[in-house]
Amino acid sequence: MTAHALAGALADDGRRRIFAAIVLGATSATDVAQRTGLPARVVLTGVRRLADAGLVTGADGALAVDDASLRAIARDSRPADSTDPDADPVLRTFLRGDVLVGLPAQRGRRRVLLAHIAERSFEPGTRYPERAVDDALKPWCVAGGSDHATLRRYLVDERLLTREHGIYQRL
């Protein structure tokens, strides 16, 4: 199952309520119907759909969340690591594709990472207003490894970008 299919299975409010009831300990369709207030027919259909999606086991007996299936979905849904496997170990450690998963504490490692981000995000000699710099850095930060303002500040501190009167430039 893909993350997209998982989202589809839980897109319906009734199925989410059914799944929540099972997560919270309901082990039969009757128990789920009592906890959710949904009609038995809706519960049975929802349980069948959740079982078909691989989220619930025991559609014919004791209901339970299919933990193994959820772990497999989480494992298979991680962003692909598109960095070159032979690339710098710093990039392999702190990037997943073009997403930053953390910032190194050591200045030398942080500089390697920042240089990579600067090369991929900014053209040498092109002048960028602060908003454009922020827009270029935000996609790197979607995983919560840092925020765009911190990246911008580090890029300037490491002289990978210059800043003059709110205009940035990669040298």
Side-chain angles (χ1 to χ4, degrees), residues 1 49-57 65-70 73:
M1 169 182 264
R49 294 277 312 267
L50 292 171
D52 291 346
L55 297 174
V56 173
T57 61
V65 173
D66 189 345
D67 294 326
S69 178
L70 285 174
I73 293 166

Side-chain angles (χ1 to χ4, degrees), residues 18 89 115 148 168:
I18 293 165
H148 68 280
Y168 295 78

Side-chain angles (χ1 to χ4, degrees), residues 31 33 62 68 73 98 121 158 161:
D31 196 12
I73 293 166
D98 285 337
S121 302
E158 293 293 333
L161 289 180

Side-chain angles (χ1 to χ4, degrees), residues 4-143:
H4 182 71
L6 172 66
L10 295 173
D12 178 69
D13 181 56
R15 286 192 300 268
R16 277 193 311 274
R17 289 170 57 192
I18 293 165
F19 185 70
I22 294 168
V23 167
L24 294 173
T27 58
S28 69
T30 305
D31 196 12
V32 170
Q34 289 173 346
R35 291 181 185 212
T36 62
L38 294 171
R41 180 177 164 191
V42 171
V43 169
L44 291 172
T45 302
V47 166
R48 190 183 83 255
R49 294 277 312 267
L50 292 171
D52 291 346
L55 297 174
V56 173
T57 61
D60 298 327
L63 298 173
V65 173
D66 189 345
D67 294 326
S69 178
L70 285 174
R71 277 193 291 278
I73 293 166
R75 183 179 53 249
D76 295 340
S77 298
R78 280 188 239 150
D81 185 1
S82 67
T83 58
D84 180 6
D86 298 324
D88 191 295
V90 172
L91 301 180
R92 283 196 316 260
T93 302
F94 293 97
L95 292 177
R96 293 297 173 266
D98 285 337
V99 177
L100 186 63
V101 295
L103 277 176
Q106 289 182 325
R107 182 175 180 251
R109 290 181 178 183
R110 190 171 52 240
R111 182 161 171 76
V112 168
L113 182 64
L114 292 168
H116 176 79
I117 291 171
E119 289 173 14
R120 302 276 308 260
S121 302
F122 306 103
E123 293 296 322
T126 303
R127 298 168 55 91
Y128 298 93
E130 188 167 304
R131 180 175 295 229
V133 173
D134 289 347
D135 290 344
L137 295 176
K138 284 179 182 177
W140 292 96
C141 303
V142 296

